[in-house]
Every structure is written in structure tokens, then in C-alpha cells.
Amino acid sequence: MIYIVINVLPILAATAAAFVFGAVYYGVLGQPWMAAAGLTDQDVKNPSPWPFVIAFIAEFWVASIMAGALILAPPEAGAWTMAFGTAFILWIGFVLPVMLVNHRYEGRSLALTAINSGHWLGVFLVQVSVLQAIGLQPPAA
């Protein structure tokens, strides 16, 4: 995991960009999200800071994993193709199925699944874009 230390600045930039993306995304889709989640204005009036702290930490971890995946990706397909392909494959392979299962067992709507999983697809794409644009340093061999 030394690659995280070596690439902490691009990872932090990708984390911050993803966090801002989430604020804009849910700012635009706030009302549909609240309806799909069964929340009212009163439920979200005075939010605890903890979900935001947890989101930032989780997005840092996701950016770290994305950085590792990009460092290990074979260059033959092209850097940007590998970046976006990696983000999409990780999203469709892990995030979407997990959310579908959890939301079905919880009796949640497909709208909630679409909104929340769409957020994570956006996070993944934003993060790989920032990581690819800044560049990553592989650990010394």
C-alpha cells in the first residue's frame, strides 16, 4: 500500500473532486432522492456531520483503490480507456449488484437504487479522471 503514500496528493484531489461531485449531484437530485428514500424535509433539516465525514473517508479509500487499479492496468488499451473502463467495470461488477440486493431486501424503490448507484458511478468516473489527469507514480520496483 506504499503507492497510497506516494500518490497521496492525487488521491486527495480525486477525493475532494468526488466529494464536490456528490454535493452537486444530490443538490440537483435532492428532492427525488428524498422521495425515493422516504425522507421528509424535517428528516434532513439538521444533518449530523458524521455521514459527511464517513463519505469523505470512504471516497478517499475508493480513490486509493482506483489509483492502485490504474497503476496496475495494462497500458495497451490506452490510459483513458483503461481509466474509464476500470471505473465502469468496478461499478457494474461490485457497486450496482450490492445496491440492487440490499435495496431489494430492504424494500427500497428502484428509483433509490438508480439515484444512489448513479452517484457512485459518477464518483468513480470523476476520481479516475482526476487521477489520470494528475498522473500517478508506481512504487519503485
Side-chain angles (χ1 to χ4, degrees):
M1 296 280 200
I2 190 69
Y3 76 90
I4 295 172
V5 174
I6 295 168
N7 293 291
V8 72
L9 293 178
I11 291 170
L12 281 171
T15 302
F19 197 79
V20 169
F21 167 79
V24 171
Y25 183 87
Y26 282 108
V28 170
L29 294 175
Q31 290 300 318
W33 171 77
M34 285 174 42
L39 299 171
T40 66
D41 288 334
Q42 189 63 29
D43 294 329
V44 297
K45 187 174 182 182
N46 294 312
S48 164
W50 285 110
F52 300 101
V53 171
I54 292 166
F56 193 85
I57 292 167
E59 288 173 355
F60 179 85
W61 183 247
V62 169
S64 298
I65 299 305
M66 286 293 184
L70 294 179
I71 287 169
L72 294 173
E76 293 84 21
W80 287 98
T81 300
M82 286 307 301
F84 291 129
T86 298
F88 183 76
I89 288 168
L90 290 175
W91 174 79
I92 203 164
F94 295 101
V95 175
L96 184 59
V98 168
M99 289 187 119
L100 280 168
V101 170
N102 285 355
H103 286 170
R104 295 298 65 79
Y105 274 112
E106 294 168 358
R108 302 294 188 144
S109 70
L110 286 174
L112 183 63
T113 305
I115 292 168
N116 286 345
S117 66
H119 162 257
W120 285 106
L121 176 59
V123 164
F124 284 20
L125 294 171
V126 165
Q127 287 188 341
V128 296
S129 296
V130 171
L131 293 168
Q132 193 63 36
I134 294 174
L136 296 166
Q137 295 294 319

